[in-house]
Amino acid sequence: MKRRTLLLSMIALLLFSSSAWAAEKESTSRIRSYDSGSLIQSDGSLWLWGYNQSVPTRVEGKANVVKTFSNIFNEGDLVFTLQDQSAWYVPRNNIAESVKFIPLEKVQNLAAVSGLNDHVLALSTEGNVYSADWHNNGDILDPFQTVAGIDEVANIDSYYEERPEYEEGWIFLKKDGSVWKNTKGLQGIKPISSLQDITAIAKNIALKKDGTVWTWPKEFDTNAALSDTATASQIQSLTGIQTIKSNGRTNLAIDRQGRLWFWGATVTGYSDSTAYHNENNPVLLTGVRNVKDAFIVERSILALTTEGNVYGASLEGEKLSSNAHFTLLAQNIQSIKAGPRHVIMQKTDGSLWGWGVNKHAQLGIGDYEFLYSTPVPVQKPILVRLNGTPVPLSNGVITRNGQAFIPLRSVFDKLGAEVSFDSNNKVAKIIQSRAGATPVSLQLNLKTSQTTVNGKPVELTNPPFTVNGIAYLPLRLISETLGAKVDWIQKEDTITITATTTTK
């Protein structure tokens, strides 16, 4: 009964969330593509969120973005390519650091990229593989060099092998359907026997054209003779498979009937008490049907069905039973992009929704709440223009109750105002002095929400606030108090500010 009540409550919450978003549902989405921490608008602009940016924030100076590749080393890492075929890496592993862009030199026509330890492998659309090494704790990346002994590659992946110490395992799916693997380091590359007509790879498993699934060891007995030649064996209970997924510990497969299979690790405990429990024989999960995609996220399995429903099941426990309970999480979902600890989902109306761990603002909703167990809407990417020119923002626009808030030091100084912030008392002051005009003085207390204009109290519909130490102020109130005109063109996701007095 408790489980049924919880499910009904969750469905009601989802319906309420959908109605809260309905005001903007009629607007046409301008998102051309998205990933677990980025999106590309139809104009080719790139928007990032996570770590320093709690909501989608426009990347300046990198126009005509074509494609993104996410989670290269850490959750949030990003590689993107431009129309000129150049590729750039964006490390996102420190909330105190600003966004930086590192060129991937000598790589053109990027098709895939994978990172492991201090090494990066890149794949071109022509099927060539390139490698580079990091130095100085990830601050310097060597120019890429061609990896000898392998070509005509369709995809690459990586994982760790224990033989008996951890070594890097790189696998290469060639366009002819064969699978190749590195020997120690990248000193040599050899084919994995028994693997032909392969259509997909995921860590140390491979899917054949005939729907069978094959695997090879990633852990080796310390007493056994070690060999650089891997031999694959078939997982006998899996047939008619069309999709495979793996995070290195847990594996999933979807068969041609839309059924979901699991094998590998479940987990118990936390921190130093974390323990993994392996199930080597695939288990058919009967709690979900018509599965078209599936993901392993944090300690959960997520399944997207052909009806557009998303269901979740926990991986916590010593064993995952065949009748494991799947809970309805979202509806009207057309696609999902997953990170290790969260997912971003796109609904049929084009809006993005996040679910999972949000410790580093992975969900792009404007806060750093650790976890969201029900989907929440990703903030819309909103462009701010001042007299027709885009305004660079260190953090994107946050909307609350239909009102737009922007970072303190983003626009107001460009309107000819002097801006200051007392971080101890959380008081923002904005003073504007213009020749022939009465000086304007605004003061906003982010602790008490008390706001004054020229010393007179002003009642705010929505109070100012801080996110990750950044003060957010109501755009319209302040801009219009400073003599500017503000228009929000919601169909274009754009706020325009028209002002007669600005500073460069």
Side-chain angles (χ1 to χ4, degrees), residues 114-133:
S114 181
L116 195 63
N117 287 338
D118 293 328
H119 304 134
V120 187
L121 260 61
L123 173 66
S124 71
T125 54
E126 295 83 5
N128 299 318
V129 180
Y130 304 87
S131 68
D133 293 337

Side-chain angles (χ1 to χ4, degrees), residues 15 30 52 62 81 86 111 159 181 278 286 320 349 399 466:
L15 292 174
R30 300 178 63 249
N52 305 92
K62 295 288 185 278
T81 58
S86 63
Y159 62 95
K181 183 187 170 301
N278 285 309
T286 60
L320 187 65
D349 65 4
T399 58
T466 60

Side-chain angles (χ1 to χ4, degrees), residues 246-441:
S246 177
N247 67 355
R249 290 186 184 273
T250 302
N251 311 297
L252 300 174
I254 305 170
D255 65 24
R256 291 166 186 162
Q257 301 176 56
R259 300 183 303 177
L260 183 62
W261 296 77
F262 153 85
W263 73 103
T266 57
V267 62
T268 57
Y270 290 89
S271 189
D272 293 339
S273 299
T274 300
Y276 295 95
H277 310 272
N278 285 309
E279 173 58 67
N280 295 323
N281 297 315
V283 176
L284 175 62
L285 302 177
T286 60
V288 64
R289 297 181 298 174
N290 302 327
V291 178
K292 74 171 185 178
D293 208 351
F295 307 87
I296 305 143
V297 182
E298 187 68 348
R299 297 182 175 209
S300 297
I301 295 173
L302 296 191
L304 173 62
T305 69
T306 54
E307 297 86 1
N309 298 326
V310 177
Y311 296 88
S314 175
L315 282 170
E316 292 190 345
E318 295 184 1
K319 186 176 181 180
L320 187 65
S321 64
S322 176
N323 62 349
H325 177 68
F326 278 82
T327 300
L328 177 66
L329 296 177
Q331 295 175 293
N332 301 319
I333 302 299
Q334 62 182 6
S335 62
I336 298 177
K337 299 297 177 69
R341 311 188 74 186
H342 78 289
V343 298
I344 300 297
M345 305 176 280
Q346 187 169 41
K347 285 197 170 187
T348 52
D349 65 4
S351 61
L352 298 181
W353 292 70
W355 174 91
V357 172
N358 187 53
K359 178 181 180 182
H360 299 305
Q362 294 100 313
L363 305 187
I365 62 172
D367 65 28
Y368 290 83
E369 187 71 27
F370 182 82
L371 175 70
Y372 282 92
S373 56
T374 57
V376 290
V378 177
Q379 289 271 324
K380 275 196 168 187
I382 298 175
L383 178 65
V384 177
R385 291 184 179 273
L386 176 58
N387 291 339
T389 302
V391 178
L393 299 178
S394 58
N395 283 266
V397 175
I398 293 179
T399 58
R400 292 191 176 179
N401 299 322
Q403 188 174 7
F405 291 78
I406 62 173
L408 172 64
R409 302 183 186 278
S410 55
V411 172
F412 308 127
D413 57 344
K414 296 178 176 61
L415 295 174
E418 180 182 337
V419 179
S420 63
F421 184 63
D422 181 347
S423 58
N424 292 325
N425 296 310
K426 301 295 188 238
V427 174
K429 292 183 179 180
I430 301 173
I431 300 173
Q432 183 190 63
S433 299
R434 293 185 295 175
T438 303
V440 178
S441 174

